[in-house]
Amino acid sequence: MCRCGEPTRLAAPIGLALAMLAVLMPAPAAVGQDDAMAAYLESRGLRSLLVARLEQLAVEASPAMRPVVLSRLAGLYAEQLDRAETDEARRRLFERADRLLRETAREGTEFLELAIARATYRAAERIAERWRLRAAGPEEQAEALATLAEVAAALDELARRAERMIERSRSVSARAEGRRAISAGESMDAGLLLRGEVDYLAGWTAYYRGWLGDPAAGIVEAEERFERLLDLGDAGAVPSAVDLNRVGGEGYARAVLGMALVRGLTGRVEEVLRWMEPLDDPDAHPSVRRELPGWRLAVLIDAGAWSRVADELSLVTGSD
């Protein structure tokens, strides 16, 4: 997804620091040296050094241990990408992640690849929201659409791999016992988690592709992804099927919001507002509930419903 370049400028000082730690830090007898160093770095909040150490371990790890290391790295990359303040900082992180994917032959790298896809999506999402505010031009719009198409392709591949993980685990667990059965269950859980994360991100990716001007690539896929996440049952994709006992969870609440916004792509304003009603519930996730007035305004503005925009603004500001 990202283009790989030369090693980052951080590599030399980080490598020197890790070498010094390897010499100076005592390792507990019961813990391997590598694990002890990672634990030491994490306990002191030395995130950059921890990432560099885990990158080393991921390349050296056995096939059984590599997914564990890569899973931790995926979380750290995602954390650092979220905190990166410049495009250059994000580019360096992407390069490091891409280089690691090459060196590990993409075995057990699904969650790391998902973290990269998520960060890439967020860059496009920021452009899309600037476009909504008329602060981005046509060139940026085209760039965001191209980026989202790239993210969608990566997510399609991850979705296929998630399904293979699930099917393989199901096949093994049907005839396994003991530790093998436990391992198959864990693999099944990982596959289901990956599928859910991919559906969530793919749903929002499809929404923004549709909203930015490519509705054929957005509406149907986004609805399918969000419908599966919401587990609407026999009632189908209707607002009354939303489970009010689950809107307190942020992921579920944002999937409801996503479904509402997708309906807005076809101009069905009344249906959008009905989908948003469960998110006004007092038990709905607070951050999603706080954002709801802004999203309602965005939908009404997109639909050109200016009298209703004025009414909504009055409610938000408390003015007549």
Side-chain angles (χ1 to χ4, degrees), residues 85-151:
E85 296 182 354
T86 66
D87 289 339
E88 175 63 17
R90 280 187 283 271
R91 184 189 66 78
R92 290 201 301 265
L93 284 164
F94 278 134
E95 287 179 355
R96 290 172 70 174
D98 276 349
R99 188 166 61 251
L100 181 64
L101 289 175
R102 288 201 318 272
E103 292 173 351
T104 55
R106 304 178 84 86
E107 269 188 46
T109 62
E110 288 85 3
F111 285 96
L112 177 55
E113 292 175 60
L114 179 64
I116 296 171
R118 186 182 295 114
T120 307
Y121 157 83
R122 284 174 178 161
E125 181 189 50
R126 283 191 290 270
I127 295 174
E129 289 306 325
R130 290 181 62 245
W131 173 259
R132 193 189 298 276
L133 297 171
R134 311 299 189 261
E139 287 186 4
E140 288 177 285
Q141 177 201 21
E143 177 191 343
L145 277 169
T147 300
L148 290 169
E150 193 177 351
V151 171

Side-chain angles (χ1 to χ4, degrees), residues 170-239:
R170 186 176 288 127
S171 175
V172 171
S173 63
R175 59 182 185 276
E177 297 179 358
R179 293 182 63 84
R180 195 156 177 256
I182 294 171
S183 177
E186 290 172 348
S187 180
M188 171 75 80
D189 290 343
L192 291 170
L193 176 61
L194 178 64
R195 187 175 71 181
E197 295 269 1
V198 167
D199 276 345
Y200 178 84
L201 189 55
W204 280 101
T205 297
Y207 161 70
Y208 275 109
R209 290 179 76 186
W211 186 80
L212 281 168
D214 189 7
I219 296 172
V220 174
E221 181 180 0
E223 286 184 342
E224 288 176 353
R225 301 282 191 171
F226 288 132
E227 187 172 350
R228 181 156 67 176
L229 282 169
L230 295 173
D231 191 21
L232 298 173
D234 295 337
V238 293

Side-chain angles (χ1 to χ4, degrees), residues 16-33:
L16 177 59
L18 286 172
M20 291 174 64
L21 279 168
V23 173
L24 297 174
M25 188 191 69
V31 183
Q33 177 72 28

Side-chain angles (χ1 to χ4, degrees), residues 4 46 55 71 158 163 183 189-190 197 201 230 232 252 274 277 279:
C4 301
L46 301 172
E55 286 171 344
S71 177
L158 282 173
E163 291 300 337
S183 177
D189 290 343
E197 295 269 1
L201 189 55
L230 295 173
L232 298 173
Y252 191 88
R274 285 197 299 274
E277 284 175 6
L279 303 178

Side-chain angles (χ1 to χ4, degrees), residues 42-54:
E42 183 157 21
S43 69
R44 283 153 180 77
L46 301 172
R47 294 306 225 216
S48 295
L49 292 175
L50 177 60
V51 168
R53 186 55 174 171
L54 290 176

